Amino acid sequence: MPDFASDPMMTDLVHLAVALAIGFLIGFEREHSHAEEARQHTFAGARTFSLTALAGGLSGLVDEGLILPSLMLFSLAGLTAVAYWATAREKPGAGGTTEIALLLTFLLGLAAVRGHVMEAAIGGVSTAIILSIKQSVQRWATALTEEELYAALRLLAISVIILPVLPDEAFGPYDALNLRDIWLMVVFISGLSFLGYWLIKLAGSGRGVLLTGFVGGLASSTATTLSLSRFAKSGVSAGELAAGIVAANVMMLIRIGVLVAALARDVLVALAPGLVAAALAGGAGVLWLRRGREPMAEEAELDLGNPMEIKPALIFAALLAVISVAASFGAEQFGQSGLMLVALISGLADVDAITLIAGRKASGGEIGMGAAAYAIMIAAASNIVLKAGMASVIGGKPLGLRVGAIFAAMIAAGAAALLVL
């Protein structure tokens, strides 16, 4: 039985078949797209693309150098340019997507026979997918506001441009600072906030206060508490608003769990009983607040602002650095009690920062897993107490009493579970 795998001719035929398949796939997508647009006369369809990919493959086999492939590519580019010019004269403003795709198809066919079969196949499928999502891309482009587009670009900037160039080495007091680690956490937190923002946008505010609380809590439980508290003066039920605020803070506990899981899973094992108990108490509180209530007719609009402003990201980075140094100082001078004091104070400003610091120090062996779990729960409790006061001051006494009672139950349940289990 012949060994086809070691037969050069069979290998070339297989590579040509891959090139032909790539061309047909891209051409078929173009054919379908043109039919959808009711275009009777098109520059290139399934057959043209298939032949172009095959030409690219054959030119690569006939000439092992680049002379013949280059000549054929330039010829194809000239033919494509003439065809585009004729189309543009007949239909001003016509796009050149099909023409560019044809040139790419030739290169993919050439790559398939030059030892890059997998890369060519991936490129062909990716090209077909990109070509097929034209309508979706147009809808996304028109639906995006200028602020949202800039927010996405900022997220890409801080993660793709800034992060890779930062040094990954410890410095500063107690060697507590690491620019790469600090900025990585900025990217992670910003990404969570960005995800939360889009969940709110896609789900819509029409799902009512409760869903607004759950989804808004993923982006910022503090901003959600503030926003929902303001609705108390507009006639929205204090019970409904309290349920939304509690839901946002249950999501905060879930977010803490996600952060700790990403940093130090051993800390999550120690912290999980407290988080689960507090979240269950909060969930029970939401059910109690909403007992017998009809869904709201009016929708709650949540103003979270732009999730990717550069200034808040820089402030968070500075806060992370300060808390890192303070935590190292407190732990060295006063032991675990110093770390707990730092957690209590920093939790008033931001629970994510001390969560990241405690998780990182525990994973590095600087503090015990239990100490890290206690510090994170203290910060969460401090943050929750602050938001109870916020709800009371902004939303009034009826809202403050409801939120405060559930928050007290959450703190008590979390503390009891953490101490007992």
Side-chain angles (χ1 to χ4, degrees), residues 159-325:
S159 56
V160 178
I161 299 177
I162 298 178
L163 181 62
V165 301
L166 293 176
D168 184 13
E169 56 186 31
F171 71 97
Y174 306 99
D175 281 337
L177 303 177
N178 183 303
L179 289 179
R180 177 74 62 86
D181 288 347
I182 291 174
W183 202 258
L184 180 62
M185 296 310 139
V186 171
V187 172
F188 194 34
I189 296 297
S190 300
L192 280 179
S193 296
F194 196 70
L195 174 62
Y197 176 91
W198 280 102
L199 284 176
I200 293 171
K201 186 176 179 68
L202 295 176
S205 60
R207 306 292 178 162
V209 171
L210 186 61
L211 182 58
T212 298
F214 273 120
V215 181
L218 180 60
S220 171
S221 58
T222 301
T224 305
T225 299
L226 175 64
S227 297
L228 291 180
S229 296
R230 291 172 176 168
F231 281 95
K233 297 180 180 179
S234 64
V236 180
S237 164
E240 290 282 357
L241 291 175
I245 291 171
V246 173
N249 286 273
V250 169
M251 288 301 299
M252 179 196 74
L253 297 175
I254 295 174
R255 186 173 67 177
I256 289 174
V258 172
L259 288 174
V260 175
L263 291 171
R265 293 185 180 179
D266 291 338
V267 176
L268 181 61
V269 173
L271 182 63
L275 287 180
V276 171
L280 289 176
V286 171
L287 294 177
W288 177 74
L289 289 167
R290 289 184 57 83
R291 66 193 187 284
R293 294 184 183 276
E294 293 295 327
M296 290 182 58
E298 298 228 348
E299 303 170 353
E301 293 287 346
L302 186 63
D303 182 17
L304 289 175
N306 192 325
M308 268 308 302
E309 289 291 344
I310 294 297
K311 184 178 179 180
L314 294 177
I315 291 174
F316 181 82
L319 178 63
L320 200 61
V322 170
I323 292 176
S324 180
V325 174

Side-chain angles (χ1 to χ4, degrees), residues 17-278:
V18 171
L20 188 61
I22 291 172
F24 181 80
L25 175 64
I26 299 175
F28 184 80
E29 190 287 326
R30 289 288 78 196
E31 198 91 49
H32 179 268
S33 177
H34 295 159
E36 288 287 320
E37 297 172 1
R39 292 168 60 178
Q40 295 181 354
H41 303 287
T42 60
F43 166 62
R47 292 179 299 171
T48 303
F49 273 87
S50 299
L51 292 174
T52 299
L54 189 59
L58 287 172
S59 68
L61 290 178
V62 172
D63 184 355
E64 295 183 356
L66 292 176
I67 296 178
L68 180 59
S70 298
L71 289 175
M72 294 194 65
L73 180 61
F74 285 132
S75 300
L76 179 64
L79 177 63
T80 303
V82 171
Y84 177 76
W85 176 74
T87 303
R89 287 187 59 190
E90 182 180 334
K91 186 180 179 182
T97 305
T98 300
E99 289 76 10
I100 297 298
L102 189 68
L103 297 176
L104 178 59
T105 301
F106 178 89
L107 294 175
L108 290 172
L110 177 62
V113 301
R114 289 290 179 91
H116 302 287
V117 181
M118 184 57 67
E119 293 89 338
I122 293 174
V125 173
S126 300
T127 301
I129 292 173
I130 292 172
L131 293 172
S132 68
I133 60 174
K134 175 183 177 181
Q135 299 299 327
S136 298
V137 170
Q138 289 177 339
R139 285 196 301 269
W140 297 337
T142 54
L144 276 177
T145 65
E146 185 176 12
E147 184 180 55
E148 291 164 349
L149 176 60
Y150 288 158
L153 293 177
R154 289 187 187 102
L155 179 60
L156 291 173
I158 68 170
S159 56
V160 178
I161 299 177
I162 298 178
L163 181 62
V165 301
L166 293 176
D168 184 13
E169 56 186 31
F171 71 97
Y174 306 99
D175 281 337
L177 303 177
N178 183 303
L179 289 179
R180 177 74 62 86
D181 288 347
I182 291 174
W183 202 258
L184 180 62
M185 296 310 139
V186 171
V187 172
F188 194 34
I189 296 297
S190 300
L192 280 179
S193 296
F194 196 70
L195 174 62
Y197 176 91
W198 280 102
L199 284 176
I200 293 171
K201 186 176 179 68
L202 295 176
S205 60
R207 306 292 178 162
V209 171
L210 186 61
L211 182 58
T212 298
F214 273 120
V215 181
L218 180 60
S220 171
S221 58
T222 301
T224 305
T225 299
L226 175 64
S227 297
L228 291 180
S229 296
R230 291 172 176 168
F231 281 95
K233 297 180 180 179
S234 64
V236 180
S237 164
E240 290 282 357
L241 291 175
I245 291 171
V246 173
N249 286 273
V250 169
M251 288 301 299
M252 179 196 74
L253 297 175
I254 295 174
R255 186 173 67 177
I256 289 174
V258 172
L259 288 174
V260 175
L263 291 171
R265 293 185 180 179
D266 291 338
V267 176
L268 181 61
V269 173
L271 182 63
L275 287 180
V276 171

